[in-house]
Amino acid sequence: MKLTILIHCADGVGIISAVTNFLHVKGGNIIYLDQHVDLETGVFFMRLESEFQTDISLKNLKKGFQNDLASPYQMKWSMHMAGIRLKMALFVSKYNHCLYDLLSRYNSGELNVEIPFIISNHKDLEYIADQFAIPFHCIAVTKTTKDKAEKEQLKLLKEKAVDFIVLARYMQIISPDLISVYPNKIINIHHSFLPAFAGARPYHAAYERGVKIIGATSHYVTEELDAGPIIDQDVTTVSHSHSIQDFITKGRDLEKIVLSRAVKLHLERKTMVYNNKTVIFT
Amino acid sequence: MKLTILIHCADGVGIISAVTNFLHVKGGNIIYLDQHVDLETGVFFMRLESEFQTDISLKNLKKGFQNDLASPYQMKWSMHMAGIRLKMALFVSKYNHCLYDLLSRYNSGELNVEIPFIISNHKDLEYIADQFAIPFHCIAVTKTTKDKAEKEQLKLLKEKAVDFIVLARYMQIISPDLISVYPNKIINIHHSFLPAFAGARPYHAAYERGVKIIGATSHYVTEELDAGPIIDQDVTTVSHSHSIQDFITKGRDLEKIVLSRAVKLHLERKTMVYNNKTVIFT
Amino acid sequence: MKLTILIHCADGVGIISAVTNFLHVKGGNIIYLDQHVDLETGVFFMRLESEFQTDISLKNLKKGFQNDLASPYQMKWSMHMAGIRLKMALFVSKYNHCLYDLLSRYNSGELNVEIPFIISNHKDLEYIADQFAIPFHCIAVTKTTKDKAEKEQLKLLKEKAVDFIVLARYMQIISPDLISVYPNKIINIHHSFLPAFAGARPYHAAYERGVKIIGATSHYVTEELDAGPIIDQDVTTVSHSHSIQDFITKGRDLEKIVLSRAVKLHLERKTMVYNNKTVIFT
Amino acid sequence: MKLTILIHCADGVGIISAVTNFLHVKGGNIIYLDQHVDLETGVFFMRLESEFQTDISLKNLKKGFQNDLASPYQMKWSMHMAGIRLKMALFVSKYNHCLYDLLSRYNSGELNVEIPFIISNHKDLEYIADQFAIPFHCIAVTKTTKDKAEKEQLKLLKEKAVDFIVLARYMQIISPDLISVYPNKIINIHHSFLPAFAGARPYHAAYERGVKIIGATSHYVTEELDAGPIIDQDVTTVSHSHSIQDFITKGRDLEKIVLSRAVKLHLERKTMVYNNKTVIFT
């Protein structure tokens, strides 16, 4: 049995020693350990991977962890068995590049995930869902139907026990209600190097400003638009000779890469969120 | 004789043909030609390098150019003889990395430029000026002395017939008066990927936002702070494990590179400015 | 009518002027011009895009070009009408990421190309061809059947009048016979930053050497393995913490990007080959 | 007191727990821990930083470490007190950019190091040593004097108890004798992305091959030329429009950055060498 353990708590003396000792005594071999201390806030973060040769009770292990470590150190923690496939819902609109990219990776086994369905506010990409034999739900979103649409979305998400949501260029603002059900579990791709060019039409704004570099940013969705914890960013160079359409075309490749990297980091439980920032274990 | 010619005008039919034909007839061989049309504004930009084997009169050439080309096509243009060294004034404050970098390049012959003097509002870097045997003028700048200080600066700039100014982390806002004397001839380095984190303490702001990429931007100074035409940008990756001090240290290397590239582009007359953006010929 | 014109010839005085003048007289407006002189070999390269408002005879234009320009300057040249879709054959083996990537781009209209068929020496990727409704020919290649296989390939290529071939991780060496039919028209993706790690298993070799950067290279296929003219390269960082499998996974994203960029440059006729190197007009 | 501890040994169960427990019991707070297991060779690497509030005896701590940990686990290890400045000798030839860069960083306090002297086989850069007030020894190296020259170098290195050597574009091959005195303690900068273009004139070779990316590599010097463990690499893009001289100029900036990063990693004891590869803790 292989476990991934995520911990954060107030920094203090002896935490690493206590945790590694606990695991050692329980028969766990630590095959990965990384830690980080945020010096400003004095918060300690740790990610461990531990292998247990003998069959042990996960329930007992968790109980022991809570009593021996989490309570005394006031830790927030989670423990995840390897090999369990998370359920990922995809929200899309009319752009197909991120959808194609994620589904190709899914089909080739690069993403160890289940995709119970794709939700869109338009029919345009249904043919891709069909190509990959994934259920497609078209739920129109207008000002007046937004509430109803989101309820329908939530119903589907619950029915399939979806673990996290990926907005693969969904182009709609997610309401606080839905965000509160999936805190730090909704991944968005924004087509600029945030915080520059938040909001609509970032390639147009970048072109207007005459930047020499454009970027893309994957982040967890929070109530404030395009202001959630950044998971990953990447950039590419542009010049005066590129039109807005060139920006868009070049940007698409960034968006695909940056979104898929965020999805993988999330799947491998390599992300922790604190103070609207991420700790990314690599 | 080698000439560099920069032209911009309203786009139209036959301009390239007219210009290249003019030069051919005058005995000039075109060794480099690059052009760009800004489709939004319909403006045509061209940069040529032309070699003249025979001794011709530059004065006559310019006159012919004005009559035969510039007037009919309503061009704005300039013609520059190769080999003339421009005079560059350096403005610094307390940070030494950009100054060291530029002076090292200057000393090794990488920058074909004259540096008549260095101006600073502090004495801290005088020792570097001494190391490189360059006159150093300390002109203190406070709220009350700002006007006086700038007059003193202007006097020095005029005395030495300075062609352009490089703010190598000068940390002071340049007044409109000085800018108007050197339009698109004052190069600043800002320590962020503009337009993100304009203004003071960009590394602190970047740290606070939790970005995964930091950058630096060289640009021409305009009246609006950090909003002038961008000449060059570059970025480097950061992670949660980097402190603000790490951002600053990593950023220094970006600043040096991005500023020196801008200086070289300016020296080689590879920059043109239009609509608060640059055309960079490479 | 929009034309792209590619020219190379011995460098000399007045070529640009002659060409631009010729086009101007014929009623063509030059909307793009880029040129390059290889100083070592004294070869001049030029790429132009020219728009003709009036209906002119392409045949007459070509005849005039040959007589007035190409003959006197001993140019090698080609003239291409915009909007004509080239026919691209895809050769694949068992890896699906480049195939998926190219077909997604094709399906979204990013690649203005026809794909008459996919050839593979294995059945593994037939399902993707089916997904995208593209004919799939499985032609097994063994030592003994290699000749026969290639004849079969050539037959298909001729039947469909294929313009160029893309080896999307085909994993087989192309014979000189086939190469001679498609000179500088077979694009390969090699999974290293050539010339490092040519040949088989480059990620393993890179891992063994302990490099901190891995790359991918797209190039035209010549008789010498992995030694043809390089079209594009890109790299990504790796560390000691990455396994060979990590190299492979990270490399896949490079391969996709670098191959698709090469395909686009080829389609847009932005590549010229000389002395086993490319001139890439951007 | 702050200590950095480096450990490597055969991988096994309980090592992290044993080490962290040992430090905890001795009163050390672990402020940084990173580990790596090379799965191919089964070797475990660890780097820790530990703070001891109370005054403890480093001698006793080391003794305890050896008895309680190093002996049972058959560790190779080292323990370093923070704040001790290493002595770095610089070897240069005629190129000044890396020397200028390192000395600027040294002068600004970015490199926490002593530089007892600069050795060169030419007088060309003596003026820079003078600028920075660092002793300069010119030791000519010819085929016949090579042995004698190296003895002279060794004498100087011993006199000043030099800890490690940086070849800042030294352009001479270091003999096995000198290497054996400084194993994994001589840092070289090679001006290509190794293993491509090892040996002389890499920029010329890169130009000849028509690559689209050039690089620089810092590595520890071993007997085989340009084949030692790679510490850091970086790259920049080039195109057909760049001459060999452009490659050299662009490459200089890479060389400076990549060499200084290696020097810093070495100073901060963030490098470990195994199997001709490096583990770089960041």
Side-chain angles (χ1 to χ4, degrees), chain B residues 19 26 51 65 77 97 101 103:
Chain B
V19 174
K26 299 291 185 192
E51 265 173 355
F65 194 95
W77 63 284
H97 54 285
D101 186 71
L103 294 184

Side-chain angles (χ1 to χ4, degrees), chain D residues 215-249:
Chain D
T217 305
S218 52
H219 64 95
Y220 287 117
V221 173
T222 56
E223 289 199 23
E224 195 181 336
L225 184 66
D226 298 332
I230 293 170
I231 304 169
D232 195 22
Q233 300 188 291
D234 210 341
V235 296
T236 194
T237 54
V238 291
S239 79
H240 66 272
S241 72
H242 292 104
S243 64
I244 291 177
Q245 187 53 49
D246 293 331
F247 279 36
I248 292 170
T249 304

Side-chain angles (χ1 to χ4, degrees), chain A residues 116-128:
Chain A
F117 55 77
I118 298 165
I119 282 176
S120 180
N121 53 336
H122 294 286
K123 288 232 165 234
D124 302 55
L125 303 188
E126 187 164 16
Y127 75 101
I128 301 178

Side-chain angles (χ1 to χ4, degrees), chain C:
Chain C
M1 185 179 64
K2 193 175 139 191
L3 292 179
T4 300
I5 305 168
L6 299 173
I7 298 166
H8 72 96
C9 60
D11 192 24
V13 174
I15 302 176
I16 297 178
S17 168
V19 173
T20 55
N21 205 42
F22 171 87
L23 290 170
H24 182 53
V25 167
K26 299 292 185 194
N29 186 29
I30 297 166
I31 54 173
Y32 171 94
L33 183 161
D34 201 358
Q35 47 67 243
H36 169 66
V37 176
D38 185 303
L39 292 174
E40 285 196 311
T41 56
V43 177
F44 172 86
F45 300 87
M46 187 156 61
R47 182 178 183 279
L48 295 107
E49 294 178 9
S50 189
E51 267 175 354
F52 291 81
Q53 302 289 349
T54 54
D55 266 2
I56 65 152
S57 150
L58 183 59
K59 200 179 149 192
N60 285 348
L61 190 73
K62 283 186 170 178
K63 202 173 157 190
F65 195 94
Q66 179 60 42
N67 291 338
D68 299 358
L69 295 169
S71 292
Y73 288 102
Q74 294 191 278
M75 292 172 175
K76 298 200 175 173
W77 62 285
S78 60
M79 208 176 266
H80 310 277
M81 276 185 63
I84 291 174
R85 300 178 90 200
L86 294 182
K87 289 177 185 169
M88 167 175 83
L90 291 173
F91 283 38
V92 300
S93 188
K94 294 184 168 182
Y95 295 108
N96 60 23
H97 54 286
C98 285
L99 181 61
Y100 258 135
D101 186 71
L102 289 171
L103 294 184
S104 313
R105 291 175 198 273
Y106 163 73
N107 238 28
S108 13
E110 187 180 320
L111 296 180
N112 183 31
V113 73
E114 275 183 50
I115 307 179
F117 54 78
I118 297 165
I119 282 177
S120 180
N121 53 336
H122 295 286
K123 287 228 165 240
D124 302 55
L125 303 187
E126 188 165 15
Y127 77 100
I128 301 179
D130 291 348
Q131 265 188 310
F132 287 82
I134 297 188
F136 182 88
H137 302 287
C138 184
I139 302 176
V141 177
T142 63
K143 270 189 185 169
T144 51
T145 64
K146 182 145 187 153
D147 267 17
K148 188 169 149 284
E150 207 154 80
K151 270 180 195 137
E152 213 174 322
Q153 292 170 353
L154 261 171
K155 191 160 161 282
L156 285 166
L157 294 164
K158 277 180 192 167
E159 269 175 24
K160 295 293 180 185
V162 162
D163 292 297
F164 71 109
I165 299 169
V166 173
L167 310 180
R169 298 296 310 276
Y170 176 51
M171 311 297 281
Q172 292 287 325
I173 292 171
I174 303 296
S175 82
D177 285 353
L178 182 46
I179 295 171
S180 70
V181 181
Y182 286 96
N184 297 324
K185 289 181 175 172
I186 306 176
I187 299 172
N188 185 43
I189 179 71
H190 184 73
H191 37 316
S192 81
F193 52 88
L194 288 174
F197 311 123
R201 293 164 71 83
Y203 291 129
H204 290 74
Y207 180 84
E208 185 66 26
R209 180 62 188 92
V211 296
K212 303 302 185 189
I213 285 176
I214 57 171
T217 305
S218 51
H219 64 94
Y220 287 117
V221 173
T222 55
E223 289 201 22
E224 195 181 339
L225 185 65
D226 298 333
I230 293 172
I231 304 169
D232 195 23
Q233 300 189 289
D234 210 341
V235 296
T236 195
T237 55
V238 290
S239 79
H240 66 273
S241 71
H242 292 105
S243 64
I244 292 177
Q245 185 52 50
D246 293 333
F247 279 36
I248 292 170
T249 303
K250 283 177 78 103
R252 277 200 293 252
D253 282 345
L254 288 178
E255 295 163 34
K256 282 151 50 171
I257 300 276
V258 170
L259 179 57
S260 75
R261 287 202 298 232
V263 170
K264 277 199 256 185
L265 288 168
H266 185 85
L267 281 175
E268 294 165 2
R269 304 186 186 281
K270 292 185 170 171
T271 67
M272 293 184 78
V273 173
Y274 190 78
N275 256 5
N276 204 43
K277 309 205 299 195
T278 58
V279 173
I280 303 292
F281 294 107
T282 51

